[in-house]
Amino acid sequence: MEATTLRPRMLTAGDTVAIVSPASWPEESVPGWIAQRVEAWGLQVVIAPHALDHRGYLAGSDGDRAADLNDAIRDPEIRAVIASVGGCGSFRIVPDIDIDALRADPKVLVGYSDITALHQVWNTAGVPVLHGAIAGAHGDHVRRLLMEDADTVVDADAGALSAELTTAGSAEGPLFGGNLEMLARSVGVVDFNLSGGIFLLEINRAAGLGMVDRALTQLRYSGTLDGIAGVALGSIDQFAGYEDRGWTIVDTLRDHFDALGVPVLGGLPLGHIEDLVTVPLGTRAVLDVDHGRLTVSSPSEG
């Protein structure tokens, strides 16, 4: 797999960013809070018309959520898109995204968790994304990724649960991946494989170890993980203290990682944690397992 080729231009003061809700609806204050943070960077913000709609756990109908996202993609004034929240529902609008418009005018999509389904569409289009959010202690790093030619350096925490899966060695290649559940669900729907790339994996405890096992098995047996160069493993702390008939999340993951036979760096502050680090996906990365560091190239061009 090659790195994404359609790098968006770097944002400058006065550019406009759209806040959309392509999955679940956020708390009412969230879009305004995001807007306030982004405007403090010198950018302008538009909040999509259906960002606060409610339809069960979805932010409005599939058609309205897709329309909000496509409008942002097609609007030449909008230079980046931020998902207000994850939750559920991104997968439902995958077929409706205007890939041709995205290729014609590349712009970054910021989000994680359920937004991983949409990140695969951006990947298909050849456009990088940002896996993360502007919340937490590292929120300002999103500004640097959007407005500066900034690389991302992520140091592993040797005390984190996922650090128990760290091996040795190093790997280099484009960084792809995201939420395990959404990646597995994308098999057969979005045409993607990770050959030659570094597999970023984050797992929240939405279900038991059996679901983790099934998802990884699907990715392996479908050929999606054939030829990957390494694994960058985010937080699995939600599974701390959880066992299923004598096995832990570490046992389940080690079984699959051993079968892949590639360098694994765990302990990375990525995924469902309070102070997550935002990283680009689709750009070149270096996984230095021996020194506990992941370095990812800038998603933008000056």
Side-chain angles (χ1 to χ4, degrees):
M1 173 170 279
E2 299 296 327
T4 47
T5 54
L6 301 174
R7 295 173 67 198
R9 73 161 174 82
M10 197 182 307
L11 273 64
T12 59
D15 280 340
T16 301
V17 173
I19 299 172
V20 301
S21 299
S24 293
W25 45 267
E27 295 296 327
E28 188 172 353
S29 63
V30 168
W33 180 87
I34 296 173
Q36 188 176 38
R37 289 288 300 270
V38 173
E39 287 168 348
W41 301 343
L43 300 171
Q44 300 185 63
V45 176
V46 294
I47 298 175
H50 302 285
L52 287 171
D53 284 5
H54 284 52
R55 183 173 181 266
Y57 48 77
L58 303 171
S61 69
D62 293 350
D64 286 343
R65 298 194 326 281
D68 278 358
L69 188 52
N70 281 330
D71 286 348
I73 291 170
R74 295 165 182 158
D75 187 340
E77 296 299 314
I78 292 174
R79 303 315 316 151
V81 184
I82 298 177
S84 67
V85 72
C88 298
S90 295
F91 203 43
R92 294 170 60 126
I93 65 172
V94 160
D96 302 319
I97 304 307
D98 191 342
I99 291 182
D100 290 338
L102 181 59
R103 287 178 174 140
D105 186 14
K107 53 196 71 175
V108 163
L109 171 65
V110 183
Y112 75 112
S113 193
D114 195 72
I115 308 303
T116 290
L118 297 173
H119 284 176
Q120 305 320 303
V121 178
W122 260 247
N123 175 32
T124 299
V127 180
V129 299
L130 297 184
H131 179 277
I134 68 170
H138 304 286
D140 189 64
H141 184 55
V142 177
R143 178 193 61 78
R144 297 183 64 243
L145 290 171
L146 292 175
M147 304 184 72
E148 301 175 9
D149 188 20
D151 291 343
T152 302
V153 178
V154 189
D155 289 319
D157 175 4
L161 181 59
S162 65
E164 295 183 29
L165 290 151
T166 294
T167 59
S170 64
E172 185 172 351
L175 184 67
F176 290 104
N179 180 262
L180 172 61
E181 169 72 8
M182 301 313 299
L183 290 167
R185 297 291 186 185
S186 296
V187 171
V189 178
V190 178
D191 184 19
F192 76 107
N193 70 74
L194 301 177
S195 180
I198 296 171
F199 178 37
L200 182 149
L201 181 62
E202 67 98 355
I203 311 169
N204 61 312
R205 191 182 152 188
L209 301 185
M211 291 296 289
V212 173
D213 184 45
R214 290 172 195 160
L216 278 167
T217 300
Q218 185 173 4
L219 289 170
R220 284 178 52 209
Y221 288 6
S222 67
T224 302
L225 300 184
D226 288 355
I228 64 169
V231 176
L233 180 61
S235 173
I236 55 174
D237 289 346
Q238 291 184 2
F239 290 87
Y242 177 78
E243 289 191 9
D244 186 346
R245 285 155 282 191
W247 255 22
T248 67
I249 185 67
V250 171
D251 297 313
T252 302
L253 293 177
R254 182 175 285 121
D255 217 36
H256 287 280
F257 293 165
D258 285 351
L260 292 171
V262 297
V264 177
L265 176 59
L268 295 169
L270 310 170
H272 288 73
I273 57 175
E274 183 176 355
D275 290 325
L276 77 167
V277 176
T278 295
V279 295
L281 298 181
T283 63
R284 300 294 296 182
V286 175
L287 189 75
D288 187 348
V289 178
D290 293 336
H291 294 92
R293 175 169 287 182
L294 171 69
T295 305
V296 193
S297 299
S298 168
S300 304
E301 61 181 8

